[in-house]
Amino acid sequence: MRPRAPDAPPGDVPALRLDPANECAWRGERRLELTPKEFAVLRHLVERAGRLVTKAELLDSVWDAVVSESALTSCIRDLRRALADSSRVPLYIETVHRRGFRFIGPVAAAAAPSRAPGAVRVEGVASAAPARPQLVGRDGELARLHASFADVAAGRRRVVLLSGEAGIGKTALVEEFLAGLDGEGEVRVGRGQCVEQFGAGEAYLPVLEALGRLGRGPRGDRVVATLRQYAPAWLAYLSGLLSDDELAAVERRAQATTRERTLRELAEALDALAADAPLVLLLEDLHWSDSATIDLLAVLARRRDPARVLVVGTYRPADVAASGHPLHAALQELRLHGHCVEVAVDFLGEEAIAELLLDRFPKSDLPARLARVLARSTSGNPLFLVNVVDDLVARGRVREVDGRWSVAAPVDELAATVPQTLRQMVETQIERLTPQEQAVLAVASVAGVEFSAELAASDGIAPRSAEECCDALARQGRFLRAVGAAEWPDGTVAARYAFIHALYQNVLYDRVPIGSRVGLHLRIGARLERAHGARAPEIAGELAMHFERGRDFERAIRWRRAAAEAALRRHAHREAAEHGKRALALLDALPESPALLQEELAIRMILGTALLGAGWAVPEVERTYVRARELCTRVADSPECFAILSGLFGFYISRAELKVARELAKQMLDIASAAGDAAALLAAHHDAGMVAFYAGELADAREHLEKALALYDPAQHTPDRMPAFRGGQDVGVTAALHLAWTLCLQGHPDQGSARILATLERARSLEHPYTLAFARHFIASYFQWRGDVERVREVAEVLIPGAAEEDIEITRALSAVCRGWLAFEDGIFAGVEEMRAGIAAYRSRGNEFGAPAFLALLAETYGRAGRAREGLAVVAEALAVAERSGAHF
């Protein structure tokens, strides 16, 4: 049938007929060739025939990804082409200018209602399956999930962890559970999945995916508003939900937080989201998760306040136990304290298999022994089982004759032809595909467990043909399922698909010859890099993986560095360190060059910053910065050299190795003076002042600190603008605090106290946790030495609860010192032991920064408690530290 010319009169318009169950449509007698997304849009319009459907409604209801209106426009254009329709003289789809669309064409029969989301099946491939397959053998597990949801609906939060081996049906169980929530009123569901290719390197990957889906779904504006109020830092990681101006603002705020606060804020935001409707957060395949996501899971499980929040996680226990995964330790803690509900999903028994066969073949003469034989052959693995049954049907060993199903050979003979493993079963299925289907799936397996159809194309297969192939496989339930569509930053719009099970992707990937695999990774990486342009850093981990496997190590290194930087912005230090270490390992495979030396220097800087999450005095920090310092001598005019010296300075002064710290501070002053860089001079004078202060050289300390404050501009030298500065603290605050104490020790206590209190107000105004925590500890110590108990108590009222809230190890240790001192002042002698424990915890990571002063305070308290012998032993220890280090403060 030839399309009608755009301006031709309508004449007789063929009626449109939809088959929702099979996602097919006909215009008269002609079947339309539609992608899943095109069918979904057409169906949505037909079910609302005659009324305006806005663009926003279509995007919210049909798309499951962040897309612009151009994606919808492209889809409508393709629909009109398939329908032989025209925007100028519409027969089916009418455009309502600037608002949306209206379906105006004839419909042969009313569209059938959509299948309930509970229409799920045991994971696998289906043929000859009924329209509404059921889940079998999972009544107990399903009941426990619904019981947990009932608790949540009553305000009692729950964390449920589903465990089971590959192919056991965890996802099918979750789907059935979610479908059963239809009658529970409004329920928000955020869903995210861990990805094997990225694993531990992508911080919060499943959580961000879940939040993104919530933010793009119905009432997504409420989700964004809640995050903006309770967890603004998380919006910085969800750029697709914000305008450029909003993104810049939340990125600035994200710099001024900590990993612990980031976790707590999201927990509070999830509680707030659940205020008007229960929230289900689904995190799948946690055995491939990053450690940051596991930390968040633990935080959510430990919260005791009432909230209608249900977290459901799935994982494979064997993978977690064998790999030393962080989930293993987290599970032990959660079990110990009863903070989670565990549901083990086991293999199907003979009775459940018989039920599955009855559901699959309702009119049959199948022998009763078939269920027993299949149970023995497949060990009751649902994925294996369904694939075996499909194979028997495909080979005609189980066939339909006159409307009834029967076996075509003795049952034992059937069993003898079943592949021994699920992997062999998948191999057999692949061999039955057409050459084009095999080629498309091979490329798709290299793209990932979830991929854009655009990436499944190859030299001999055009993108449109690849998408049609994927679409056909997804419609048949073979290998793939459709997961919506997405638009890349370059305007490319394509359907997205996912392998029904990761095993399919793994088997297909292993079949691709290594040489071809390398070339495909390289081509896919280049296509993604080109498509995302300036926004490519948002997928840095994916690009790094493709270029690494594509043997383009220079590009892989560059994207590993970008991924590490992204992880640091999320306060995911372990993930950032992992990317940094992998980048350095790749560097070893390349010949040395000036450009690569510069690259190593940049990576060492990132790695050093990431390692600082474990504390300044960790030896690996020293090794990282020492190598970086060596590189500085070989890279001319490197801007990183000053920051490297600053990092080394922080390490050595934390260990109270003042001789080395003094030398580094002098080098920093020389570099900053030669460059005439005000920010560098500020940092150098600050560090020189600190060395002098802790060495007891008060005149030099005052001179350097006053010079630092003269250079300090509160608007320009904030922590987010000087991220390389030690600890990420506000340099003006730390300089002012040390100057205040210097003034006091020089005989100007009133000036010192006035400056101390003014600096505390400055620290409060910054909304920067590290700076404020440091300021409060410093000020508490200052008033301890002045004997001003009430002032110490005022600061401690915020300091001590804040230390537990921030969950910073050093902060907790020093809070214990303050808490113990106050307890002693209140007549509780046990406070001195809490002081001692706090000082020991502080020094346990190699920190000797200020240790003589802390020990002296402890010795004085022992003396006042009448425990002179213990006090004198502490004095001797403090003097030994001072003698060894030169730290005489």
Side-chain angles (χ1 to χ4, degrees):
M1 180 180 295
R2 294 177 60 188
R4 169 184 52 80
D7 294 318
D12 293 330
V13 180
L16 187 72
R17 180 163 53 91
L18 297 185
D19 178 1
N22 294 302
E23 294 190 350
C24 300
W26 285 263
R27 179 183 183 271
E29 297 303 315
R30 180 171 65 88
R31 177 169 172 165
L32 304 178
E33 295 297 326
L34 303 176
T35 65
K37 192 57 60 183
E38 290 164 3
F39 179 85
V41 170
L42 180 60
R43 177 180 177 176
H44 195 89
L45 291 170
V46 169
E47 289 177 345
R48 293 152 185 81
R51 81 162 174 86
L52 167 67
V53 179
T54 66
K55 296 177 181 179
E57 179 182 344
L58 280 168
L59 289 170
D60 286 344
S61 302
V62 178
W63 264 265
D64 187 23
V66 178
V67 297
S68 67
E69 285 189 9
S70 63
L72 175 58
T73 302
S74 175
C75 188
I76 293 290
R77 183 178 61 248
D78 290 341
L79 270 176
R80 283 181 171 137
R81 185 181 298 118
L83 289 164
D85 200 8
S86 164
S87 61
R88 297 175 63 183
V89 186
L91 300 180
Y92 296 98
I93 301 174
E94 178 185 64
T95 299
V96 181
H97 186 54
R98 289 192 170 183
R99 299 183 64 192
F101 306 92
R102 181 183 292 111
F103 190 84
I104 59 173
V107 181
S114 62
R115 191 179 76 170
V120 295
R121 51 190 288 270
V122 178
E123 291 180 271
V125 181
S127 60
R132 179 66 168 89
Q134 67 180 54
L135 193 71
V136 300
R138 301 299 185 215
D139 292 346
E141 296 91 336
L142 204 55
R144 295 190 67 188
L145 283 170
H146 281 292
S148 294
F149 183 80
D151 289 341
V152 166
R156 298 185 293 273
R157 70 175 75 243
R158 288 289 181 266
V159 170
V160 179
L161 295 174
L162 295 176
S163 62
E165 300 309 321
I168 205 73
K170 299 183 292 296
T171 298
L173 175 61
V174 169
E175 295 284 2
E176 187 78 0
F177 162 66
L178 293 177
L181 300 181
D182 280 352
E184 302 288 348
E186 183 183 358
V187 179
R188 282 194 180 89
V189 178
R191 187 169 190 161
Q193 185 168 18
C194 306
V195 179
E196 183 180 15
Q197 290 144 304
F198 305 142
E202 294 301 296
Y204 304 115
L205 177 66
V207 181
L208 293 173
E209 182 184 0
L211 291 175
R213 287 179 169 176
L214 285 168
R216 295 187 298 270
R219 300 184 65 192
D221 54 345
R222 154 98 166 114
V223 175
V224 174
T226 302
L227 290 174
R228 185 178 288 112
Q229 179 180 354
Y230 291 92
W234 285 85
L235 283 175
Y237 317 144
L238 296 164
S239 58
L241 302 181
L242 300 175
S243 67
D244 290 343
D245 290 342
E246 289 177 312
L247 182 60
V250 297
E251 282 179 340
R252 285 194 296 272
R253 289 195 65 179
Q255 289 287 336
T257 188
T258 65
R259 180 186 181 99
E260 291 72 23
R261 173 168 287 188
T262 298
L263 295 174
R264 188 185 66 255
E265 285 182 351
L266 181 62
E268 292 171 354
L270 296 178
D271 288 359
L273 274 177
D276 60 347
L279 171 67
V280 179
L281 182 65
L282 173 61
L283 306 175
E284 297 188 84
D285 295 330
L286 288 171
H287 49 277
W288 290 325
S289 173
D290 58 284
S291 60
T293 295
I294 301 304
D295 288 346
L296 176 63
L297 181 70
V299 167
L300 295 175
R302 288 196 298 263
R303 289 178 72 82
R304 299 292 88 189
D305 297 340
R308 295 191 295 171
V309 176
L310 172 62
V311 181
V312 179
T314 69
Y315 71 96
R316 300 179 194 168
D319 289 3
V320 168
S323 64
H325 195 279
L327 180 59
H328 182 68
L331 281 170
Q332 290 180 319
E333 181 184 348
L334 296 178
R335 289 167 182 153
L336 178 65
H337 299 288
H339 287 162
C340 69
V341 176
E342 292 191 83
V343 179
V345 185
D346 207 346
F347 295 104
L348 295 176
E350 184 178 328
E351 184 178 339
I353 293 174
E355 184 181 354
L356 183 145
L357 290 173
L358 181 63
D359 180 61
R360 176 72 177 275
F361 309 109
K363 295 181 180 181
S364 70
D365 297 315
L366 299 177
R369 286 189 60 242
L370 182 60
R372 186 178 311 119
V373 169
L374 290 176
R376 187 171 62 248
S377 301
T378 66
S379 300
N381 180 300
L383 182 61
F384 196 1
L385 174 67
V386 172
N387 277 276
V388 165
V389 172
D390 285 334
D391 180 67
L392 293 174
V393 172
R395 291 189 292 117
R397 311 311 295 269
V398 173
R399 60 190 178 186
E400 187 179 25
V401 179
D402 297 329
R404 298 191 68 83
W405 290 90
S406 61
V407 296
V411 171
D412 290 335
E413 183 179 323
L414 293 181
T417 64
V418 171
Q420 296 301 304
T421 67
L422 178 55
R423 191 177 187 89
Q424 291 174 358
M425 183 76 259
V426 174
E427 292 273 8
T428 301
Q429 291 180 333
I430 293 170
E431 292 299 330
R432 295 199 182 113
L433 295 170
T434 67
Q436 177 170 312
E437 288 171 334
Q438 290 189 33
V440 168
L441 288 179
V443 179
S445 73
V446 177
V449 71
E450 186 172 315
F451 59 91
S452 167
E454 175 76 13
L455 297 177
S458 61
D459 291 339
I461 301 174
R464 180 70 180 185
S465 297
E467 183 168 338
E468 290 172 351
C469 181
C470 292
D471 180 38
L473 289 169
R475 287 173 186 273
Q476 298 163 22
R478 294 196 298 160
F479 291 94
L480 302 178
R481 57 187 172 87
V483 291
E487 180 179 7
W488 289 339
D490 69 349
T492 299
V493 180
R496 287 187 65 79
Y497 298 90
F499 285 95
I500 291 173
H501 195 280
L503 177 66
Y504 295 139
Q505 188 240 349
N506 291 338
V507 174
L508 284 157
Y509 185 84
D510 290 344
R511 288 167 58 95
V512 179
I514 292 178
S516 300
R517 198 185 300 169
V518 168
L520 286 171
H521 275 298
L522 190 59
R523 181 178 64 76
I524 289 170
R527 179 69 181 96
L528 287 170
E529 187 180 54
R530 186 169 64 254
H532 286 76
R535 290 177 57 187
E538 296 176 11
I539 58 165
E542 185 175 1
L543 290 172
M545 181 273 295
H546 282 302
F547 286 124
E548 185 173 335
R549 296 185 181 183
R551 310 290 293 178
D552 187 339
F553 293 146
E554 291 193 22
R555 285 159 98 179
I557 291 166
R558 187 167 70 248
W559 289 117
R560 282 282 171 213
R561 175 158 63 93
E565 290 168 341
L568 281 181
R569 288 193 293 273
R570 298 175 188 175
H571 308 286
H573 297 108
R574 281 170 287 186
E575 289 74 17
E578 177 67 21
H579 281 299
K581 291 174 182 178
R582 292 182 71 169
L584 291 175
L586 291 172
L587 274 169
D588 290 340
L590 297 174
E592 187 176 289
S593 70
L596 289 181
L597 288 176
Q598 183 69 57
E599 186 72 39
E600 182 184 353
L601 186 55
I603 294 166
R604 293 277 177 188
M605 280 299 302
I606 295 168
L607 179 59
T609 304
L611 292 171
L612 294 181
W616 277 104
V618 176
E620 195 173 356
V621 175
E622 180 182 27
R623 291 194 295 271
T624 298
Y625 279 121
V626 165
R627 170 59 180 166
R629 188 182 183 187
E630 176 192 338
L631 289 169
C632 273
T633 65
R634 303 172 62 187
V635 178
D637 301 323
S638 173
E640 286 89 359
C641 287
F642 185 88
I644 289 165
L645 292 174
S646 180
L648 275 173
F649 175 88
F651 172 81
Y652 286 113
I653 201 166
S654 294
R655 296 176 67 90
E657 296 184 27
L658 297 191
K659 182 178 179 181
V660 181
R662 189 191 306 276
E663 177 192 341
L664 291 166
K666 183 179 183 304
Q667 291 181 40
M668 291 164 65
L669 274 172
D670 291 342
I671 292 172
S673 298
D677 185 330
L681 270 172
L682 162 61
H685 279 299
H686 171 281
D687 287 358
M690 285 187 66
V691 173
F693 176 81
Y694 288 103
E697 299 161 359
L698 299 181
D700 285 348
R702 180 172 179 176
E703 178 184 355
H704 283 296
L705 293 170
E706 285 178 339
K707 286 180 177 179
L709 288 171
L711 292 164
Y712 175 66
D713 181 349
Q716 293 296 319
H717 300 138
T718 54
D720 60 313
R721 291 176 181 268
M722 297 181 70
F725 188 74
R726 186 181 62 263
Q729 297 166 9
D730 185 273
V731 64
V733 168
T734 58
L737 291 172
H738 283 90
L739 179 58
W741 208 327
T742 301
L743 290 169
C744 181
L745 293 172
Q746 284 186 320
H748 309 290
D750 292 339
Q751 292 182 44
S753 295
R755 186 178 286 272
I756 278 279
L757 296 175
T759 306
L760 177 58
E761 291 306 310
R762 164 66 181 160
R764 285 172 175 159
S765 70
L766 287 172
E767 296 184 354
H768 188 261
Y770 281 125
T771 297
L772 185 56
F774 175 80
R776 284 174 173 155
H777 281 293
F778 198 99
I779 291 166
S781 296
Y782 176 86
F783 285 117
Q784 277 178 316
W785 281 108
R786 296 207 63 194
D788 193 335
V789 177
E790 291 311 310
R791 285 281 193 190
V792 176
R793 202 181 305 280
E794 287 175 15
V795 176
E797 285 177 357
V798 179
L799 169 70
I800 294 171
E805 183 178 282
E806 295 298 343
D807 197 26
I808 303 170
E809 186 174 350
I810 291 177
T811 302
R812 290 199 304 269
L814 297 183
S815 291
V817 177
C818 183
R819 184 170 54 242
W821 187 84
L822 284 173
F824 183 84
E825 292 296 325
D826 290 336
I828 303 172
F829 280 16
V832 71
E833 298 305 331
E834 187 169 11
M835 291 178 66
R836 187 179 195 108
I839 294 170
Y842 171 74
R843 299 178 68 195
S844 67
R845 301 296 294 273
N847 293 294
E848 296 288 359
F849 185 53
F854 295 134
L855 290 168
L857 187 67
L858 175 64
E860 180 193 55
T861 309
Y862 269 131
R864 292 169 60 202
R867 297 164 64 177
R869 180 176 298 176
E870 291 163 289
L872 287 171
V874 173
V875 169
E877 185 179 1
L879 288 171
V881 173
E883 181 66 25
R884 181 175 66 250
S885 65
H888 298 297
F889 166 69

